[in-house]
CSV table of all heavy atoms in Angstrom, one decimal:
chain,number,residue,atom,x,y,z
A,824,VAL,N,-17.4,7.8,6.7
A,824,VAL,CA,-16.9,8.1,5.3
A,824,VAL,C,-15.5,7.5,5.2
A,824,VAL,O,-15.1,6.9,4.2
A,824,VAL,CB,-16.9,9.6,5.0
A,824,VAL,CG1,-16.1,9.9,3.8
A,824,VAL,CG2,-18.3,10.1,4.9
A,825,LEU,N,-14.6,7.7,6.2
A,825,LEU,CA,-13.3,7.1,6.2
A,825,LEU,C,-13.3,5.6,6.1
A,825,LEU,O,-12.6,5.0,5.4
A,825,LEU,CB,-12.5,7.5,7.5
A,825,LEU,CG,-11.1,6.9,7.7
A,825,LEU,CD1,-10.2,7.4,6.5
A,825,LEU,CD2,-10.5,7.3,9.0
A,826,ALA,N,-14.2,5.0,6.9
A,826,ALA,CA,-14.3,3.5,6.9
A,826,ALA,C,-14.8,3.0,5.5
A,826,ALA,O,-14.3,2.0,5.0
A,826,ALA,CB,-15.3,3.0,7.9
A,827,LEU,N,-15.8,3.7,4.9
A,827,LEU,CA,-16.3,3.3,3.6
A,827,LEU,C,-15.2,3.5,2.5
A,827,LEU,O,-15.3,2.7,1.5
A,827,LEU,CB,-17.6,4.0,3.3
A,827,LEU,CG,-18.8,3.8,4.2
A,827,LEU,CD1,-20.0,4.6,3.7
A,827,LEU,CD2,-19.2,2.3,4.1
A,828,ALA,N,-14.3,4.4,2.7
A,828,ALA,CA,-13.3,4.6,1.7
A,828,ALA,C,-12.2,3.6,1.8
A,828,ALA,O,-11.2,3.6,1.0
A,828,ALA,CB,-12.7,6.0,1.9
A,829,SER,N,-12.3,2.6,2.8
A,829,SER,CA,-11.3,1.6,3.0
A,829,SER,C,-9.9,2.1,3.3
A,829,SER,O,-9.1,2.2,2.4
A,829,SER,CB,-11.3,0.6,1.8
A,829,SER,OG,-10.5,-0.5,2.1
A,830,PRO,N,-9.7,2.5,4.6
A,830,PRO,CA,-8.4,3.2,4.9
A,830,PRO,C,-7.2,2.4,4.6
A,830,PRO,O,-6.2,2.9,4.2
A,830,PRO,CB,-8.6,3.5,6.4
A,830,PRO,CG,-9.7,2.7,6.9
A,830,PRO,CD,-10.6,2.5,5.7
A,831,ASP,N,-7.2,1.1,4.9
A,831,ASP,CA,-6.0,0.2,4.6
A,831,ASP,C,-5.7,0.2,3.1
A,831,ASP,O,-4.6,0.1,2.7
A,831,ASP,CB,-6.2,-1.2,5.2
A,831,ASP,CG,-5.8,-1.3,6.7
A,831,ASP,OD1,-5.7,-0.2,7.3
A,831,ASP,OD2,-5.7,-2.4,7.2
A,832,ALA,N,-6.8,0.1,2.3
A,832,ALA,CA,-6.6,0.2,0.9
A,832,ALA,C,-6.0,1.5,0.5
A,832,ALA,O,-5.1,1.6,-0.4
A,832,ALA,CB,-7.9,-0.1,0.2
A,833,MET,N,-6.4,2.6,1.1
A,833,MET,CA,-5.9,3.9,0.8
A,833,MET,C,-4.4,4.0,1.1
A,833,MET,O,-3.6,4.5,0.4
A,833,MET,CB,-6.6,5.0,1.5
A,833,MET,CG,-8.1,5.2,1.1
A,833,MET,SD,-9.0,6.3,2.2
A,833,MET,CE,-8.0,7.8,2.0
A,834,LEU,N,-4.0,3.4,2.3
A,834,LEU,CA,-2.6,3.4,2.7
A,834,LEU,C,-1.8,2.6,1.7
A,834,LEU,O,-0.7,3.0,1.3
A,834,LEU,CB,-2.5,2.7,4.1
A,834,LEU,CG,-3.2,3.5,5.3
A,834,LEU,CD1,-3.0,2.6,6.5
A,834,LEU,CD2,-2.5,4.8,5.5
A,835,ALA,N,-2.3,1.4,1.3
A,835,ALA,CA,-1.6,0.6,0.4
A,835,ALA,C,-1.4,1.3,-1.0
A,835,ALA,O,-0.2,1.3,-1.5
A,835,ALA,CB,-2.3,-0.7,0.1
A,836,ARG,N,-2.4,1.9,-1.5
A,836,ARG,CA,-2.3,2.6,-2.8
A,836,ARG,C,-1.3,3.8,-2.7
A,836,ARG,O,-0.5,4.0,-3.6
A,836,ARG,CB,-3.7,3.2,-3.2
A,836,ARG,CG,-4.6,2.1,-3.7
A,836,ARG,CD,-5.8,2.7,-4.4
A,836,ARG,NE,-6.6,3.5,-3.5
A,836,ARG,CZ,-7.6,3.0,-2.8
A,836,ARG,NH1,-8.0,1.8,-2.9
A,836,ARG,NH2,-8.3,3.8,-2.1
A,837,ALA,N,-1.4,4.6,-1.6
A,837,ALA,CA,-0.5,5.7,-1.4
A,837,ALA,C,1.0,5.3,-1.3
A,837,ALA,O,1.9,5.9,-1.9
A,837,ALA,CB,-0.9,6.5,-0.2
A,838,ASN,N,1.2,4.2,-0.6
A,838,ASN,CA,2.6,3.7,-0.5
A,838,ASN,C,3.1,3.1,-1.7
A,838,ASN,O,4.3,3.1,-2.0
A,838,ASN,CB,2.7,2.8,0.8
A,838,ASN,CG,2.7,3.5,2.1
A,838,ASN,OD1,3.8,4.1,2.5
A,838,ASN,ND2,1.6,3.6,2.7
A,839,VAL,N,2.3,2.4,-2.4
A,839,VAL,CA,2.7,1.8,-3.7
A,839,VAL,C,3.0,2.9,-4.7
A,839,VAL,O,4.0,2.8,-5.5
A,839,VAL,CB,1.6,0.9,-4.3
A,839,VAL,CG1,1.9,0.5,-5.7
A,839,VAL,CG2,1.5,-0.4,-3.4
A,840,ASP,N,2.2,3.9,-4.8
A,840,ASP,CA,2.5,5.1,-5.7
A,840,ASP,C,3.8,5.8,-5.3
A,840,ASP,O,4.6,6.2,-6.1
A,840,ASP,CB,1.4,6.1,-5.6
A,840,ASP,CG,0.1,5.5,-6.2
A,840,ASP,OD1,0.1,4.6,-7.0
A,840,ASP,OD2,-1.0,6.1,-5.9
A,841,ARG,N,4.0,5.9,-4.0
A,841,ARG,CA,5.3,6.5,-3.5
A,841,ARG,C,6.5,5.6,-3.9
A,841,ARG,O,7.5,6.2,-4.3
A,841,ARG,CB,5.2,6.7,-2.0
A,841,ARG,CG,6.5,7.2,-1.3
A,841,ARG,CD,6.2,7.5,0.1
A,841,ARG,NE,7.4,8.0,0.8
A,841,ARG,CZ,8.3,7.2,1.4
A,841,ARG,NH1,8.0,5.9,1.5
A,841,ARG,NH2,9.4,7.6,2.0
A,842,PHE,N,6.3,4.3,-3.8
A,842,PHE,CA,7.4,3.4,-4.2
A,842,PHE,C,7.7,3.6,-5.7
A,842,PHE,O,8.9,3.6,-6.1
A,842,PHE,CB,7.0,2.0,-3.9
A,842,PHE,CG,8.0,1.0,-4.4
A,842,PHE,CD1,9.3,0.8,-3.8
A,842,PHE,CD2,7.7,0.2,-5.6
A,842,PHE,CE1,10.2,-0.1,-4.3
A,842,PHE,CE2,8.7,-0.7,-6.0
A,842,PHE,CZ,9.9,-0.9,-5.4
A,843,ALA,N,6.7,3.8,-6.5
A,843,ALA,CA,6.9,3.9,-8.0
A,843,ALA,C,7.6,5.2,-8.3
A,843,ALA,O,8.4,5.3,-9.2
A,843,ALA,CB,5.5,3.9,-8.7
A,844,GLU,N,7.4,6.3,-7.4
A,844,GLU,CA,8.1,7.5,-7.7
A,844,GLU,C,9.5,7.7,-7.0
A,844,GLU,O,10.4,8.3,-7.6
A,844,GLU,CB,7.2,8.7,-7.1
A,844,GLU,CG,5.9,8.8,-7.8
A,844,GLU,CD,5.0,9.8,-7.1
A,844,GLU,OE1,5.4,10.4,-6.1
A,844,GLU,OE2,3.8,10.0,-7.6
A,845,THR,N,9.7,7.1,-5.8
A,845,THR,CA,10.9,7.3,-5.1
A,845,THR,C,11.7,6.0,-4.9
A,845,THR,O,12.9,6.1,-4.6
A,845,THR,CB,10.6,7.8,-3.7
A,845,THR,OG1,9.9,6.9,-2.9
A,845,THR,CG2,9.7,9.1,-3.8
A,846,GLY,N,11.1,4.8,-5.1
A,846,GLY,CA,11.8,3.6,-4.8
A,846,GLY,C,11.9,3.2,-3.3
A,846,GLY,O,12.6,2.3,-3.0
A,847,ARG,N,11.3,4.0,-2.5
A,847,ARG,CA,11.3,3.7,-1.0
A,847,ARG,C,10.0,3.2,-0.6
A,847,ARG,O,8.9,3.7,-1.0
A,847,ARG,CB,11.6,5.0,-0.3
A,847,ARG,CG,13.0,5.5,-0.5
A,847,ARG,CD,13.3,6.8,0.3
A,847,ARG,NE,12.4,7.9,-0.1
A,847,ARG,CZ,12.4,9.1,0.5
A,847,ARG,NH1,13.1,9.3,1.6
A,847,ARG,NH2,11.6,10.0,0.0
A,848,ILE,N,10.0,2.2,0.3
A,848,ILE,CA,8.8,1.5,0.8
A,848,ILE,C,9.1,0.8,2.1
A,848,ILE,O,10.2,0.3,2.3
A,848,ILE,CB,8.2,0.6,-0.3
A,848,ILE,CG1,6.8,0.2,0.1
A,848,ILE,CG2,9.1,-0.7,-0.5
A,848,ILE,CD1,6.1,-0.5,-1.1
A,849,ASP,N,8.1,0.7,2.9
A,849,ASP,CA,8.2,0.0,4.2
A,849,ASP,C,7.4,-1.3,4.0
A,849,ASP,O,6.2,-1.3,4.3
A,849,ASP,CB,7.7,0.8,5.4
A,849,ASP,CG,8.0,0.1,6.7
A,849,ASP,OD1,8.2,-1.1,6.7
A,849,ASP,OD2,7.9,0.8,7.7
A,850,LEU,N,8.1,-2.4,3.6
A,850,LEU,CA,7.3,-3.6,3.4
A,850,LEU,C,6.8,-4.3,4.6
A,850,LEU,O,5.8,-4.9,4.6
A,850,LEU,CB,8.2,-4.6,2.6
A,850,LEU,CG,8.7,-4.1,1.2
A,850,LEU,CD1,9.7,-5.1,0.6
A,850,LEU,CD2,7.5,-4.0,0.3
A,851,ALA,N,7.6,-4.1,5.7
A,851,ALA,CA,7.1,-4.7,7.0
A,851,ALA,C,5.8,-4.0,7.5
A,851,ALA,O,4.9,-4.7,8.0
A,851,ALA,CB,8.2,-4.5,8.1
A,852,TYR,N,5.7,-2.7,7.3
A,852,TYR,CA,4.5,-2.0,7.7
A,852,TYR,C,3.3,-2.5,6.8
A,852,TYR,O,2.2,-2.7,7.3
A,852,TYR,CB,4.7,-0.5,7.6
A,852,TYR,CG,3.5,0.3,8.0
A,852,TYR,CD1,3.3,0.5,9.4
A,852,TYR,CD2,2.5,0.7,7.1
A,852,TYR,CE1,2.1,1.3,9.8
A,852,TYR,CE2,1.4,1.4,7.5
A,852,TYR,CZ,1.2,1.7,8.9
A,852,TYR,OH,0.1,2.4,9.3
A,853,LEU,N,3.5,-2.6,5.5
A,853,LEU,CA,2.5,-3.0,4.6
A,853,LEU,C,2.0,-4.4,4.9
A,853,LEU,O,0.9,-4.7,4.7
A,853,LEU,CB,3.0,-2.8,3.1
A,853,LEU,CG,3.3,-1.4,2.7
A,853,LEU,CD1,3.7,-1.4,1.2
A,853,LEU,CD2,2.1,-0.5,2.8
A,854,ASP,N,3.0,-5.2,5.3
A,854,ASP,CA,2.6,-6.6,5.6
A,854,ASP,C,1.7,-6.7,6.8
A,854,ASP,O,1.0,-7.7,7.0
A,854,ASP,CB,3.9,-7.4,5.9
A,854,ASP,CG,3.7,-8.9,5.9
A,854,ASP,OD1,2.6,-9.3,5.4
A,854,ASP,OD2,4.5,-9.6,6.4
A,855,GLY,N,1.6,-5.7,7.6
A,855,GLY,CA,0.7,-5.7,8.8
A,855,GLY,C,-0.6,-5.1,8.5
A,855,GLY,O,-1.5,-5.1,9.4
A,856,LEU,N,-0.9,-4.7,7.3
A,856,LEU,CA,-2.2,-4.2,6.9
A,856,LEU,C,-3.2,-5.4,6.8
A,856,LEU,O,-2.8,-6.5,6.7
A,856,LEU,CB,-2.1,-3.4,5.6
A,856,LEU,CG,-1.3,-2.1,5.7
A,856,LEU,CD1,-1.3,-1.4,4.3
A,856,LEU,CD2,-1.8,-1.2,6.8
A,857,SER,N,-4.5,-5.0,6.7
A,857,SER,CA,-5.5,-6.1,6.6
A,857,SER,C,-5.7,-6.5,5.2
A,857,SER,O,-5.0,-6.0,4.2
A,857,SER,CB,-6.8,-5.5,7.2
A,857,SER,OG,-7.3,-4.5,6.3
A,858,ALA,N,-6.6,-7.4,5.0
A,858,ALA,CA,-6.9,-8.0,3.7
A,858,ALA,C,-7.5,-6.9,2.7
A,858,ALA,O,-7.4,-7.0,1.5
A,858,ALA,CB,-7.9,-9.1,3.8
A,859,ASP,N,-8.0,-5.8,3.3
A,859,ASP,CA,-8.5,-4.7,2.4
A,859,ASP,C,-7.4,-4.2,1.5
A,859,ASP,O,-7.7,-3.6,0.5
A,859,ASP,CB,-9.0,-3.6,3.3
A,859,ASP,CG,-10.2,-4.0,4.2
A,859,ASP,OD1,-10.9,-4.9,3.8
A,859,ASP,OD2,-10.3,-3.5,5.3
A,860,ALA,N,-6.1,-4.3,2.0
A,860,ALA,CA,-5.0,-3.7,1.3
A,860,ALA,C,-4.5,-4.6,0.1
A,860,ALA,O,-3.7,-4.1,-0.7
A,860,ALA,CB,-3.9,-3.3,2.2
A,861,THR,N,-4.8,-5.8,0.1
A,861,THR,CA,-4.2,-6.8,-0.8
A,861,THR,C,-4.3,-6.4,-2.3
A,861,THR,O,-3.4,-6.5,-3.0
A,861,THR,CB,-4.8,-8.2,-0.5
A,861,THR,OG1,-4.5,-8.6,0.8
A,861,THR,CG2,-4.1,-9.2,-1.5
A,862,PRO,N,-5.5,-6.0,-2.7
A,862,PRO,CA,-5.6,-5.7,-4.2
A,862,PRO,C,-4.6,-4.6,-4.6
A,862,PRO,O,-4.0,-4.7,-5.7
A,862,PRO,CB,-7.1,-5.2,-4.3
A,862,PRO,CG,-7.8,-5.9,-3.3
A,862,PRO,CD,-6.9,-6.0,-2.1
A,863,ALA,N,-4.4,-3.6,-3.8
A,863,ALA,CA,-3.5,-2.5,-4.1
A,863,ALA,C,-2.1,-3.0,-4.0
A,863,ALA,O,-1.2,-2.6,-4.9
A,863,ALA,CB,-3.7,-1.3,-3.2
A,864,LEU,N,-1.7,-3.9,-3.1
A,864,LEU,CA,-0.4,-4.4,-3.0
A,864,LEU,C,0.0,-5.3,-4.2
A,864,LEU,O,1.2,-5.5,-4.4
A,864,LEU,CB,-0.2,-5.1,-1.7
A,864,LEU,CG,-0.4,-4.3,-0.4
A,864,LEU,CD1,-0.2,-5.2,0.8
A,864,LEU,CD2,0.6,-3.2,-0.4
A,865,LEU,N,-0.9,-5.8,-4.9
A,865,LEU,CA,-0.6,-6.6,-6.0
A,865,LEU,C,0.0,-5.8,-7.2
A,865,LEU,O,0.5,-6.4,-8.1
A,865,LEU,CB,-1.9,-7.4,-6.5
A,865,LEU,CG,-2.4,-8.5,-5.6
A,865,LEU,CD1,-3.7,-9.1,-6.2
A,865,LEU,CD2,-1.4,-9.5,-5.4
A,866,ARG,N,-0.1,-4.5,-7.1
A,866,ARG,CA,0.6,-3.7,-8.1
A,866,ARG,C,2.1,-3.6,-7.9
A,866,ARG,O,2.8,-3.1,-8.8
A,866,ARG,CB,0.0,-2.3,-8.0
A,866,ARG,CG,-1.5,-2.2,-8.4
A,866,ARG,CD,-2.1,-0.9,-8.0
A,866,ARG,NE,-1.3,0.3,-8.3
A,866,ARG,CZ,-1.3,1.4,-7.7
A,866,ARG,NH1,-2.2,1.6,-6.7
A,866,ARG,NH2,-0.5,2.4,-8.1
A,867,LEU,N,2.6,-4.1,-6.8
A,867,LEU,CA,4.0,-4.0,-6.6
A,867,LEU,C,4.7,-5.0,-7.5
A,867,LEU,O,4.1,-6.0,-7.9
A,867,LEU,CB,4.3,-4.3,-5.1
A,867,LEU,CG,4.0,-3.3,-4.1
A,867,LEU,CD1,4.1,-3.9,-2.7
A,867,LEU,CD2,4.9,-2.1,-4.2
A,868,PRO,N,6.0,-4.8,-7.8
A,868,PRO,CA,6.8,-5.9,-8.5
A,868,PRO,C,6.8,-7.2,-7.7
A,868,PRO,O,6.6,-7.1,-6.5
A,868,PRO,CB,8.2,-5.2,-8.6
A,868,PRO,CG,8.0,-3.8,-8.4
A,868,PRO,CD,6.8,-3.6,-7.5
A,869,PRO,N,7.1,-8.3,-8.3
A,869,PRO,CA,6.9,-9.6,-7.6
A,869,PRO,C,7.7,-9.7,-6.3
A,869,PRO,O,7.2,-10.2,-5.4
A,869,PRO,CB,7.4,-10.6,-8.7
A,869,PRO,CG,7.1,-9.9,-10.0
A,869,PRO,CD,7.3,-8.5,-9.8
A,870,GLU,N,9.0,-9.3,-6.3
A,870,GLU,CA,9.8,-9.4,-5.1
A,870,GLU,C,9.2,-8.6,-3.9
A,870,GLU,O,9.0,-9.2,-2.8
A,870,GLU,CB,11.2,-9.0,-5.4
A,870,GLU,CG,12.1,-9.2,-4.2
A,870,GLU,CD,13.6,-8.8,-4.5
A,870,GLU,OE1,13.9,-8.7,-5.7
A,870,GLU,OE2,14.3,-8.7,-3.5
């Protein structure tokens, strides 16, 4: 169930939402995620 839920995508969405609320984010950690996370990371501002 965890695998089908795409854990890296879940991580990306959770951290993007946290950035929208707090302005804090670990870009180096997110850069190490797999391609599964890319669609969620596109919600970040361009920089």
Side-chain angles (χ1 to χ4, degrees):
V824 170
L825 176 63
L827 294 179
S829 189
D831 275 15
M833 294 172 62
L834 295 176
R836 286 193 297 268
N838 282 279
V839 170
D840 291 341
R841 177 173 175 268
F842 174 73
E844 295 174 0
T845 66
R847 292 181 295 175
I848 193 169
D849 186 345
L850 296 173
Y852 183 83
L853 296 179
D854 195 15
L856 298 179
S857 65
D859 301 328
T861 301
L864 295 179
L865 290 177
R866 294 165 45 202
L867 288 169
E870 182 176 346

